[in-house]
């Protein structure tokens, strides 16, 4: 089958076109949430760079997570906001592929990065005397680079397979964004290989890191329970509470989104998926700064300078 020229292809992002009033409300809501994401994550990045007390592995990985969340949301929220106010909800093939590949890279990278952060907490709790030796600057950079490289590789494989497909029908994506599975389902050819690769990618990048996180916290829990003093246990748990909360929010929203019973209301399903992509990046900086004395101290120091 002859492939269509990429420059000639456009996709229609259906979103909630049948509910224009709801789209106006969503525009305001998503804009506010996006501004909170930019402000919160940018502030954390600046603090981790400027304050020497935050020059530790945990905050180095947190800076990577904040940078990732900014790029992830920026890959689709500006486009979604424009489409909320526009009657023409089309997107070119090239822009759709870029949006899809960037968001997929960031999502895959975040899964690996959360596992790396769990290992950091494991070393801090289970081997505190050798923490600074094990979690050296070189190792931290290597682990962060590995996270980004694996995320990019996963996205590259799935994107290359997707863009090779021919499109010859009505290219209507029943979503707010270019989502890879919805994208490949529009192809007028067999997509079995794409579906298998997407499924394998989800298993590797969702459940393998989750397994490593669970193993890390089993060792952490066994170590904490052997601590005699109550104060020592509380201090140990407090160093892990922010990361545990982020993991629960991240995987909880994923499991709720993809494992809940399919609703007949497609609008509800689309809204759930949209807020899954926005809520987690918004909550991450709030969770890490809420009860963190070091972040509070760095914030006060930065504000006193100005």
């Amino acid at each position: 089958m002859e492939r269509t020229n990429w420059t000639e292809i456009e996709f229609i992002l259906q979103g909630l076109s049948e509910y224009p009033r709801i789209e106006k409300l969503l525009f305001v809501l998503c804009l506010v949430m996006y501004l909170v994401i930019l402000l919160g994550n940018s502030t954390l990045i600046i603090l981790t760079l400027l304050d020497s007390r935050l020059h530790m592995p945990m905050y180095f990985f947190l800076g990577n997570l904040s940078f990732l969340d900014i790029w992830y949301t920026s890959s689709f929220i500006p486009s979604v906001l424009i489409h909320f106010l526009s009657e023409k909800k089309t997107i070119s093939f090239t822009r759709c592929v870029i949006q899809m590949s960037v968001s997929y890279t960031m999502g895959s990278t975040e899964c690996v990065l959360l596992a790396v952060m769990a290992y950091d907490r494991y070393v801090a709790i289970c081997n505190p005397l050798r923490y600074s030796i094990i979690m050296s600057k070189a190792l931290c950079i290597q682990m962060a680079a590995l996270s980004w490289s694996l995320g990019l590789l996963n996205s590259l494989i799935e994107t290359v397979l997707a863009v090779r497909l021919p499109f010859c029908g009505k290219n209507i994506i029943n979503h707010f964004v270019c989502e890879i599975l919805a994208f490949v389902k529009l192809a007028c050819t067999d997509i079995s290989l794409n579906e298998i690769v997407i499924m394998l990618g989800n298993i590797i990048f969702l459940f393998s890191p989750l397994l490593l996180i669970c193993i890390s916290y089993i060792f952490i829990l066994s170590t904490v329970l052997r601590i005699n003093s109550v104060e020592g246990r509380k201090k140990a748990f407090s160093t892990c509470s922010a990361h545990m909360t982020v993991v629960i929010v991240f995987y909880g929203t994923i499991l709720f989104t993809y494992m809940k019973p399919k609703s007949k209301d497609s609008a509800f399903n689309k809204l759930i998926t949209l807020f899954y992509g926005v809520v987690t990046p918004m909550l991450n900086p709030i969770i890490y700064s809420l009860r963190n004395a070091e972040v509070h101290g760095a914030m006060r120091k930065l504000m006193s300078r100005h």
Side-chain angles (χ1 to χ4, degrees), residues 261-272:
K262 287 293 181 183
S263 170
K264 292 180 180 179
D265 186 358
S266 64
F268 176 76
N269 291 327
K270 284 184 278 189
L271 284 172
I272 290 295

Side-chain angles (χ1 to χ4, degrees), residues 26-35 77 81 84 274-275:
L26 285 173
F27 171 82
V28 176
L29 195 58
C30 287
L31 178 61
V32 171
M33 293 172 80
Y34 183 51
L35 292 175
I77 292 183
L81 292 174
F84 279 151
L274 174 65
F275 283 105

Side-chain angles (χ1 to χ4, degrees), residues 55-58 61 119-141 143:
H55 291 174
M56 296 187 291
M58 182 176 80
F61 295 128
Y119 175 73
D120 170 67
R121 293 299 83 206
Y122 158 74
V123 177
I125 301 297
C126 300
N127 210 339
L129 297 178
R130 300 189 66 237
Y131 177 71
S132 58
I133 299 172
I134 296 172
M135 298 303 295
S136 63
K137 185 178 180 180
L139 180 64
C140 290
I141 293 172
M143 293 171 83

Side-chain angles (χ1 to χ4, degrees), residues 27-86:
F27 171 82
V28 176
L29 195 58
C30 287
L31 178 61
V32 171
M33 293 172 80
Y34 183 51
L35 292 175
V36 171
I37 289 167
L38 293 179
L39 178 63
N41 286 289
S42 298
T43 301
L44 272 180
I45 292 171
I46 292 168
L47 290 176
T48 56
L49 289 174
L50 296 182
D51 197 296
S52 58
R53 288 174 296 180
L54 302 184
H55 291 174
M56 296 187 291
M58 182 176 80
Y59 296 106
F60 170 73
F61 295 128
L62 179 57
N64 274 265
L65 184 65
S66 295
F67 181 75
L68 180 153
D69 283 337
I70 290 173
W71 271 96
Y72 172 65
T73 50
S74 296
S75 70
F76 69 91
I77 292 183
S79 172
V80 169
L81 292 174
I82 292 169
H83 287 160
F84 279 151
L85 299 180
S86 173

Side-chain angles (χ1 to χ4, degrees), residues 146-263:
L146 179 65
S147 302
W148 285 94
S149 300
L150 289 174
L152 180 62
L153 180 63
N154 183 44
S155 175
L156 190 63
I157 291 170
E158 298 193 15
T159 303
V160 168
L161 288 174
V163 298
R164 293 175 65 252
L165 298 171
F167 297 89
C168 49
K170 290 184 178 180
N171 297 323
I172 300 175
I173 297 177
N174 189 23
H175 211 307
F176 295 105
V177 296
C178 288
E179 196 267 332
I180 192 160
L181 193 56
F183 179 88
V184 300
K185 283 182 177 179
L186 295 175
C188 46
T189 187
D190 180 52
I191 59 167
S192 300
L193 176 61
N194 298 79
E195 290 180 323
I196 291 169
V197 172
I198 290 171
M199 183 185 69
L200 288 174
N202 288 341
I203 292 171
I204 293 169
F205 282 87
L206 279 175
F207 295 107
S208 298
L210 181 59
L211 177 63
L212 293 174
I213 291 168
C214 291
I215 292 171
S216 296
Y217 275 104
I218 288 170
F219 282 108
I220 288 170
L221 185 62
S222 66
T223 301
V224 171
L225 292 177
R226 289 200 300 269
I227 298 174
N228 294 324
S229 67
V230 176
E231 193 63 33
R233 290 182 186 178
K234 285 176 65 177
K235 186 177 179 181
F237 274 124
S238 68
T239 63
C240 303
S241 59
H243 179 260
M244 280 195 297
T245 307
V246 167
V247 169
I248 291 168
V249 170
F250 180 76
Y251 278 99
T253 50
I254 288 177
L255 293 174
F256 177 77
T257 302
Y258 293 105
M259 294 189 176
K260 65 179 176 60
K262 287 293 181 183
S263 170

